[in-house]
Structure formats: structure tokens, C-alpha cells
Amino acid sequence: MANIKDIAKLAGVSVTTVSRVINRHPYVSDEKKEAVLRAMEQTNYVRNINAVHLIKGKTNLIGVVVPSIKRPYFGLVVEGIADEALKGNYRLVLIQTNYEESRELEALMMLKLKQIDALIICSKISDWEIVEEYGAYGPVIVFEDARGTNVSSIFIDHYKSFMEALAYLSGKGHRKIGYCLARKSGTSSKQREAAYRDFLKNAGEPFDPSCIFYDAVHFEDGEWIVQRLTTMQNPPTALLVTSDQVAAGILACCNERKIGVPSKLAIVSFDNQPIAKILNITTFEIPLVDIGRSLFLQAINGNFYQKEIPVKLIERLTV
Amino acid sequence: MANIKDIAKLAGVSVTTVSRVINRHPYVSDEKKEAVLRAMEQTNYVRNINAVHLIKGKTNLIGVVVPSIKRPYFGLVVEGIADEALKGNYRLVLIQTNYEESRELEALMMLKLKQIDALIICSKISDWEIVEEYGAYGPVIVFEDARGTNVSSIFIDHYKSFMEALAYLSGKGHRKIGYCLARKSGTSSKQREAAYRDFLKNAGEPFDPSCIFYDAVHFEDGEWIVQRLTTMQNPPTALLVTSDQVAAGILACCNERKIGVPSKLAIVSFDNQPIAKILNITTFEIPLVDIGRSLFLQAINGNFYQKEIPVKLIERLTV
DNA sequence: CTGTTAGCGCTTTCAC
DNA sequence: GTGAAAGCGCTAACAG
């Protein structure tokens, strides 16, 4: 496999000149350029990108950390990131964590090793201190509320949005409201729980832990949720669901069991994924693809940046 | 940022020795090793991975080409790939094509540039000749029927599986059968169409192009399909759907419009994604995650390999 | 316009 | 056990 030196020799010029034509620098005479091009053609030359990475100290690779790529939620965010990355001639290195902190740490380490130019964390596990620490090695941006830290972030204020959703349901006459969450820990979950407790306190309603459903992530989780609902002696009349996928699953199971929605159970969800539209699910729109775009743009920009993304209620037929 | 030379100087040893302790080579005296370790600690040393890539001529990066990562189908395949990659200490570079050939070509080019060690193409666009050509630069494996070429592949025989599905439906008494496809072109689609035509010919049934639904990809596509079905004067009584997502969408819309399934419309689908189980969709199981694993394993193995994956009918309630 | 040259940071013979 | 030195392939001053 020919290298730049071979080309130089073959074309009868210096390596600099070859480098110039490779990188489309001006100031190369047409004849020499021709000669170089011909030599490259002859030898089927390709430049070794790793040598370029070494000398430039960057790779045009952006790390993207997600818990699981098969979840449509993250699929949409990554879609946006990928879309923008393409324009900027960047590639994405996908790191799935399955919520294991060690994998997130590995991603952070890649930044330190300069294997990636920047890192986008779509759902964080490790402590803010750790993320802050690694931020010294390159741009890190998190799709999570990082206010109070010096980590860049684009985020939803889940306290606020949960409050809004609760108020909406309350306004529709619901007294007993439950909610479904993807995971117990995590910044977002804590914000949501805080909102829930504060709301209950304000409304003078008692807190009933059996109204909270954890590990509600996929469409198919709708099944056990509905199952559990039916066994409750005093089930909630409305459910706040943090993902359209789960809401869709719940709705499907309710339909199957002839549980009226919204008559017996009202559902408010989040994301406004395509499935929510088809199934007429009332949901809070979160512009995931656009958020993905912004995440990428800020990742390569590298400046400190924190921005809240507002959510918007889309009323449909499940409330 | 300290480099290996700095460490050597600081520890009072040669760079070779430093390199040895970095790479855990034997034959380094404990004292020197100690000294090196201390120097690394002091300076917060990290080795530049790009220099390693340059000298080794490999990057431990595997390219993965998918049309769109947000589709659960590809999410599952990538899940399997990622899982296995993790074990082998490889990283994935995600390339979304949106079915644009140029992007697939870019991925192939990355292999040529040695930016990735191998390439996995989950859904191919470009001609086999092109893929074969780039195969010279590194292992390429395709999740598509590559028999007759010298490209490695793990695949479903879509002709055979479609035939089987058609026979199954026919055995249940269906005379007029339609089908839904993701895209018109592509190896799989051609195989399926061939099966469909052959089946019709054998059964002596006429070919009705209005029974074929193209661009059926997502859950939400179920809507227009059902819509179109209702406007047909002589609609098919059974539908072969090439993705559980679409089948689920169709089922949801049928339920909404009180179209009995399977009484008015039978549905046989493919993949056996979790959603199919919940919605009791009769489907052909395709072990996507396992296929992902195999794809990865063969990609790093690098030997020529072609293997057909059998599909298995899972009878549920939509037929 | 063009070429010489000094690296980028690391690995790996090879000789001691 | 250890180190000197020769690269890996490329870029970018710098000098002409």
C-alpha cells in the first residue's frame, strides 16, 4: 500500500507537494498537480487517516452515550445527532451503557484518550463530579438537567413539566393520579418524584407508593402495568407516563381488556413520538430530533452552554 | 499533556521501558516499573491512542451501516452487534444511510482509509460489485443474501420464508393475499416479489398490484395501509407484513375501525419483536439480536462466510 | 510555487 | 532486563 513518500517519488516531487494536492492547497503548479494525481491513480493511493489523526490531534469522531439504542426515544435523539454530524463531516461512535456506569466511564475515557473529539451523553449515570472532571479533556454535553454544575447541557425541566401535567389532569377532575418511570434513580426521575410529592402536598392528597410504576420502558411494559392496575382495590384514575412507547402499550392492553380510556383510565404521556399521534395519545411534545441536532452542534462548538427546552401539551383522546 | 518521552525522562528510564509497563510486558524490574507508574500518576499520563492506531494499523473500530437507527428492527440488530463488540473491546461507528447510496460508499471508504477495521452492512444499497471491490481493504459482512457473490453474509432466504408464509395463509383458506414491503428495490424485496408471483402462478390466482403496499416501514404506516384497504372494492383477506412494527400499526388501526382480525383481515408478520408478542401477532421469528452478534463475530474473524438463518413461524391470534 | 525537515506519540526490533 | 533507534504516514513551519 503506497504512502505519501511513494507518491512523491513516483511523481518526481516532494511529499509537501503531494500533501498540498491531497489537501487542496493552492499554489501548486498544474503540471505537478497532474503528476501527483496520476501517481495516486496508478498506485490506488489512499491516505492513512490515522496518521492524520495523530498529527492533528483530532479524529472527527463524536462519542454518543445511550442506555440502549433500540429504544425509539434514543433512536430519535441519535437520528438528530447523526443528521447534523453528517453535515459537519463527523462520525458517531455509539456507546451503549445499559445503565452500567462502567461503560459511561469508558466513554469518558475515550475522550481523555483523544479517540473522540467530543462526547454526548443522552442519559447520564455517573456523578456530576466525574463528568465535570472529564470535561477538562474535551467538550462534553449532556441531555439532562445540569444546572448547578459546569457541564454543558440541553434539558427538559422535568419538575416543571410534571407539575404542568399533574395540574392538567387535576383540572380534568382526577384526584388519584399515578405515574410510570423508566428508572428509579437519575436526575429526571428525582425531579419528577419531587414534583409529584409537592403536588400531592399542595392538593392535600395522600402519597400512595403503589401508584408509582418503575422500570416502565418499552411498549411491552404496558402489559404488567395494566395487569397490576387491575389488581388494585383503589387504582388511580389517571396515569402520567414518561414515554409514548409505554403509554401505547398501556393503551393497547386497556383496549384488549375493555378498560375504557379515558373513561376508566386517563393517560398523559411524553415525547409525542409518531406512535402517539396514530393512537391519539395526549402527550407532551419533546422535540427529540431537534434536541439531537442541538446536542451535536454544541458538542463541536465546545463552549459552555445550558439550555432548557420547553415542552408543549398536545391534547388528543386519552384524557 | 505528557507523552511517553516525558514519562521516560521523569522516571529515569527509556521509552521502551515505559512502553513495556504500559502494555504489561514481562521483564521489567519492579523498581523501574514502580518509577514509571509513579511518573504516570504524577503527570496524569494518558497514552495517545491515535499514535497506537497509526503504528498498529488498526483502530478497534467497526463500522455499522443501517438505513435508520430509530427503527426497532435495526435497533435490535445493532443491540446484538454492540453487545458482542463490548466483549471484544471494539467500538462501533454508526453510519446511517437513509437509503442514500453515497453514505454507504462513505462507509466503504472508511474501511479503505483504515479508519475502521471492518464493516457490517445491515441493509445494502450499492451493487454487489462495489461491495466486493471494497472487500479488498478489510472484512465486510452484509445482513443480506449474498449468495453468488464473494461477500460474506448472514441472511434470511426471503423467497423461502415468503413462500412458507403464503402457503400457511393459503392453508387457512385465504385466496386473496396482499403484502407490505419496506422498499421496492433491494435484494430482499426482489426475492419476496418473486415468491409472491411464483405462488400466485402455482395457485392459479391473478396478480393484483393493488394488493402490494410499498414503503411500509413504521408503526404509523399502518394507518394509510388500513385506509387504503377500506377503499378497495375487493380487498385481500390476508396480509403478509415484513415488519412487526407495521403489523402492529395495522392491527391498531383495525381495532379502532372495528375491522375484525383475523375474521376480516388475517395478518402474518416477520421478526417477532416484543410488540408482536404483546399484541398476539402471528409472526415469523427472526433472531435479530443473535444475528447482530454473529455479524460482529464474523466481521472481526474476517474469513469468508455465508450462512442462512432459518425463520420459525410463531402462531398467535392474527390468523 | 516548491522542497527540506522536524516532528506527532508510540511500538518494536536488535544489540547489549 | 534494558535502551537506542528506526520507523508508522502525514502535516506544517521555514527557507528558498
Side-chain angles (χ1 to χ4, degrees):
Chain A
M1 189 118 281
N3 63 24
I4 198 173
K5 239 170 173 168
D6 300 331
I7 302 297
K9 201 177 297 172
L10 195 61
V13 301
S14 73
V15 291
T16 313
T17 302
V18 177
S19 176
R20 286 207 180 95
V21 350
I22 292 172
N23 296 290
R24 304 180 202 298
H25 272 291
Y27 308 135
V28 180
S29 72
D30 284 352
E31 327 150 43
K32 300 221 170 189
K33 191 195 260 176
E34 270 307 308
V36 170
L37 258 18
R38 213 168 18 233
M40 295 195 343
E41 189 109 355
Q42 262 177 53
T43 56
N44 195 14
Y45 171 79
V46 280
R47 86 180 194 287
N48 184 321
I49 203 108
N50 293 314
V52 180
H53 291 166
L54 170 58
I55 200 161
K56 295 232 172 171
K58 67 180 297 237
T59 57
N60 273 38
L61 250 28
I62 304 288
V64 178
V65 173
V66 293
S68 164
I69 191 63
K70 72 177 174 204
R71 286 170 52 183
Y73 175 91
F74 292 109
L76 289 164
V77 178
V78 173
E79 177 95 3
I81 296 173
D83 212 55
E84 208 61 44
L86 195 76
K87 294 184 202 159
N89 197 29
Y90 278 85
R91 299 285 162 196
L92 265 30
V93 176
L94 188 72
I95 297 125
Q96 276 201 97
T97 65
N98 290 319
Y99 289 121
E100 283 175 38
E101 186 175 354
S102 63
R103 303 197 186 170
E104 189 170 300
L105 259 23
E106 281 172 31
L108 254 5
M109 187 53 90
M110 287 176 75
L111 188 64
K112 191 170 175 181
L113 292 178
K114 303 220 161 301
Q115 189 168 13
I116 52 179
D117 294 346
L119 185 64
I120 299 171
I121 301 180
C122 295
S123 185
K124 180 191 68 74
I125 309 158
S126 48
D127 294 337
W128 285 115
E129 293 75 45
I130 294 180
V131 180
E132 283 181 315
E133 179 192 333
Y134 279 86
Y137 303 110
V140 177
I141 185 157
V142 178
F143 179 25
E144 204 140 334
D145 192 344
R147 282 176 295 185
T149 76
N150 60 29
V151 177
S152 287
S153 98
I154 291 178
F155 62 95
I156 311 295
D157 185 329
H158 289 292
Y159 182 94
K160 209 157 72 183
S161 63
F162 232 53
M163 269 300 187
E164 190 179 338
L166 256 4
Y168 172 69
L169 250 14
S170 175
K172 293 282 184 177
H174 293 281
R175 306 290 316 273
K176 182 149 189 168
I177 303 170
Y179 70 92
C180 305
L181 238 47
R183 51 173 181 158
K184 208 163 188 156
S185 56
T187 318
S188 321
S189 301
K190 281 187 195 121
Q191 289 184 342
R192 286 163 171 153
E193 182 170 342
Y196 187 70
R197 286 184 179 272
D198 288 354
F199 179 84
L200 252 34
K201 194 176 295 172
N202 250 335
E205 301 283 347
F207 175 80
D208 179 357
S210 71
C211 285
I212 307 180
F213 300 77
Y214 292 111
D215 299 316
V217 179
H218 303 108
F219 184 94
E220 53 269 34
D221 290 320
E223 188 163 51
W224 64 261
I225 293 169
V226 173
Q227 173 60 33
R228 221 176 83 188
L229 239 24
T230 57
T231 65
M232 290 173 74
Q233 65 286 56
N234 184 19
T237 61
L239 224 41
L240 230 57
V241 186
T242 58
S243 149
D244 285 334
Q245 290 293 320
V246 178
I250 293 174
L251 185 57
C253 289
C254 284
N255 286 343
E256 198 175 321
R257 297 173 182 234
K258 312 285 181 224
I259 299 172
V261 175
S263 58
K264 282 281 173 219
L265 181 72
I267 300 173
V268 171
S269 170
F270 285 88
D271 298 350
N272 193 32
Q273 290 178 25
I275 199 173
K277 190 174 172 205
I278 296 304
L279 299 183
N280 276 311
I281 297 172
T282 293
T283 191
F284 281 85
E285 180 179 47
I286 300 180
L288 295 170
V289 178
D290 285 344
I291 288 172
R293 286 182 211 285
S294 305
L295 284 168
F296 175 82
L297 260 14
Q298 290 305 325
I300 54 167
N301 166 336
N303 295 327
F304 177 69
Y305 180 88
Q306 288 190 337
K307 177 157 200 242
E308 182 186 337
I309 303 294
V311 303
K312 198 178 106 213
L313 178 64
I314 311 230
E315 296 192 75
R316 288 199 273 243
L317 309 180
T318 56
V319 176
Chain B
M1 188 115 285
N3 63 24
I4 197 171
K5 240 171 173 166
D6 300 331
I7 302 297
K9 203 176 296 171
L10 195 60
V13 301
S14 73
V15 292
T16 313
T17 302
V18 178
S19 177
R20 286 207 181 96
V21 351
I22 292 173
N23 296 290
R24 305 178 202 299
H25 272 292
Y27 307 134
V28 180
S29 71
D30 284 354
E31 328 150 44
K32 300 223 170 186
K33 190 195 259 176
E34 270 306 307
V36 170
L37 257 18
R38 214 168 18 233
M40 296 193 345
E41 189 110 352
Q42 262 178 52
T43 54
N44 195 15
Y45 170 80
V46 279
R47 87 180 196 286
N48 185 320
I49 202 108
N50 293 313
V52 180
H53 290 168
L54 171 58
I55 200 161
K56 295 233 171 169
K58 69 180 293 239
T59 57
N60 273 39
L61 251 29
I62 304 288
V64 178
V65 174
V66 293
S68 164
I69 190 64
K70 72 178 175 206
R71 286 170 52 184
Y73 175 90
F74 292 109
L76 289 165
V77 179
V78 174
E79 177 95 4
I81 297 174
D83 212 53
E84 209 60 45
L86 195 74
K87 294 184 203 159
N89 197 30
Y90 278 85
R91 300 284 163 197
L92 264 30
V93 175
L94 188 71
I95 298 125
Q96 274 202 98
T97 64
N98 291 319
Y99 290 121
E100 283 174 37
E101 187 175 354
S102 64
R103 302 197 185 169
E104 189 170 299
L105 259 23
E106 281 172 32
L108 255 4
M109 187 52 90
M110 287 176 75
L111 189 65
K112 191 170 176 181
L113 292 179
K114 303 220 161 304
Q115 190 168 12
I116 51 179
D117 294 346
L119 184 64
I120 298 171
I121 301 179
C122 295
S123 185
K124 179 192 69 74
I125 310 158
S126 48
D127 294 337
W128 286 115
E129 293 75 45
I130 294 180
V131 180
E132 284 182 314
E133 179 193 333
Y134 279 86
Y137 303 109
V140 177
I141 186 157
V142 178
F143 179 23
E144 205 142 333
D145 193 344
R147 283 176 295 185
T149 76
N150 59 30
V151 177
S152 286
S153 98
I154 290 178
F155 62 95
I156 311 294
D157 185 328
H158 290 292
Y159 182 92
K160 209 157 72 181
S161 62
F162 231 53
M163 267 303 185
E164 189 179 339
L166 256 4
Y168 173 67
L169 251 14
S170 175
K172 293 282 183 178
H174 294 281
R175 305 291 314 273
K176 183 151 188 167
I177 304 171
Y179 69 92
C180 305
L181 237 46
R183 52 173 179 156
K184 207 163 188 156
S185 55
T187 317
S188 321
S189 301
K190 280 187 196 121
Q191 290 183 342
R192 285 163 172 154
E193 183 171 340
Y196 186 69
R197 286 185 179 272
D198 287 354
F199 179 83
L200 252 35
K201 194 177 295 171
N202 250 336
E205 302 283 347
F207 175 79
D208 178 357
S210 72
C211 285
I212 306 180
F213 300 77
Y214 292 112
D215 298 317
V217 179
H218 303 107
F219 184 95
E220 53 269 33
D221 289 321
E223 188 164 51
W224 64 260
I225 293 170
V226 173
Q227 173 59 34
R228 221 177 83 190
L229 238 24
T230 58
T231 64
M232 290 173 73
Q233 65 285 52
N234 184 18
T237 61
L239 224 42
L240 230 56
V241 186
T242 58
S243 147
D244 285 334
Q245 290 294 319
V246 178
I250 292 173
L251 185 57
C253 289
C254 284
N255 286 342
E256 198 176 320
R257 296 173 183 233
K258 313 283 182 227
I259 298 171
V261 174
S263 58
K264 280 283 173 217
L265 181 72
I267 301 173
V268 171
S269 172
F270 284 88
D271 297 351
N272 193 31
Q273 291 178 26
I275 200 172
K277 188 174 173 205
I278 297 302
L279 299 183
N280 277 311
I281 297 172
T282 293
T283 190
F284 281 85
E285 180 178 48
I286 300 180
L288 294 170
V289 177
D290 285 344
I291 287 172
R293 287 181 210 285
S294 305
L295 284 167
F296 174 81
L297 260 13
Q298 290 305 324
I300 54 166
N301 166 335
N303 296 326
F304 177 69
Y305 180 86
Q306 290 190 337
K307 176 158 201 244
E308 182 187 337
I309 304 292
V311 303
K312 197 178 107 215
L313 177 65
I314 311 232
E315 296 194 73
R316 288 201 271 245
L317 308 181
T318 56
V319 174

